[in-house]
Amino acid sequence: MSGGTHDLGLGTRVVTAGRRPEWTAGVVNTPVWRASTILYDDVAHLRASGATDTHHRLFYGRRGTPTQWSLADALTALEPGAEGTFLYPSGVAAIAACLMAVLSPGDELLVPDSAYDPTRSMATGLLRRFGITARFYDPLVGAGIAELIGPATRAIFIESPGSLTFEVQDVPAIVAVAQARGLATIVDNTWATPLFFPAIAKGVDYSILACTKYVVGHSDVMLGSVTAAPGRFAALRDTSFQLGQVTGPDDAWLGSRGLRTMSVRLRQHQASALEIARWLDARPEVSRVLHPALSSCPGHETFARDFLGSSGLFSFALEGGDERARAALIDTLDHFGIGYSWGGYESLALPVDPARYRTATRPDFAGPLVRLQIGLEDAGDLIADLDRGLAAFRIARG
Ligand SMILES: *Cc1c(COP(=O)(O)O)cnc(C)c1O
């Protein structure tokens, strides 16, 4: 894909990226190449192969085949200015490898208080065991992050919007501080995807996706990726090879399959989620809607300035009520499954309790929170369902 790929529209890039002729070999989709052993012509060929860079060359199954390279290449093409992408067997594995590529014993990592809980656990568990400390910060700190940087600070983790509570972070302000102080920036870009937030173009060093969500899009594969800015890919790849990270070709193939429709799916997730968020915002049983495109969401102005669109995941706080009344709402819903993860074609509802995890900030809402993943069903059916759920909540609340 030489020259001008990044001038193409997003929908076009999603369709064409990563389909190199040498990988597709005459068919539309890069086939599934399953391999451990790669066979060499003779001993000289074997020796020569070991002495050269194995990037995009068959060497041994753990280093991938065209099936994994094709998806990684496509994800790189979606982040204008990026150098390369490495795939992982889950989003959490991607976060772990990226942090291990960047941090060393004695380093400090800044983590937003709104980070995905397994990210927090990694920072306070695995990283601490290896002598790395984590400092949690208010996700709305913006340029004020400069005051939190100490002599040991090595990297700033960003997740925007935050998990569960959707605070939108001022990424350009944080990146400016990080660059001035020589710190690496890592963003968990799962919610927006590069289509709605081109993180590398905004100056971020590493952009992470839980591809399990929108890239796969069908709730049937675990997959993660890290896309690196220029000069950052080699360290990521070396660490990932040393960790033995490899994604199965069947899962990578399903990731590529999902990716081809991602821009269309995201457009529908966006439209339906906005319609439902606005409907909830007008309901007396709802005290606050936490959707980045609504002014009631912390950091909404930053969202309006920096993002190209919104996806299908948001939360809302109930007006009063307890755990039991919230459960009455969720249990009444017919079209919303109850379960973890999101980004598939089907809607989900989940009770969430952010206060359990926070250490640097205290979220304060009038009632319990519900997180919704808005799928590709008709929005009218989902609204009718939520209307019944809110009626059940009213009765249970008393
Ligand atoms: C789900 C999720 C992850 C982790 O992805 P897995 O593939 O489930 O490991 C990381 N970050 C965010 C924001 C997520 O929602």
Side-chain angles (χ1 to χ4, degrees), residues 89-93 95 116 118-119 159 161 163 188 190-191 208-213 221-224 313 341-342 371:
S90 72
V92 166
I95 294 167
Y116 182 60
T119 303
E159 185 184 324
S163 278
D188 183 331
T190 301
W191 184 87
I208 299 176
L209 293 180
C211 298
T212 306
K213 314 294 167 55
V221 179
M222 303 297 300
L223 202 62
L313 189 80
S341 203
W342 48 280
R371 191 185 75 180

Side-chain angles (χ1 to χ4, degrees), residues 18 22 30 91 100 104 189 204 219 232 293 299 303 308 334 342 386:
E22 66 269 32
T30 305
M100 294 189 83
S104 300
N189 205 20
V204 169
S219 304
R232 301 279 185 177
F303 169 82
L308 304 171
D334 285 330
W342 48 280
L386 288 165

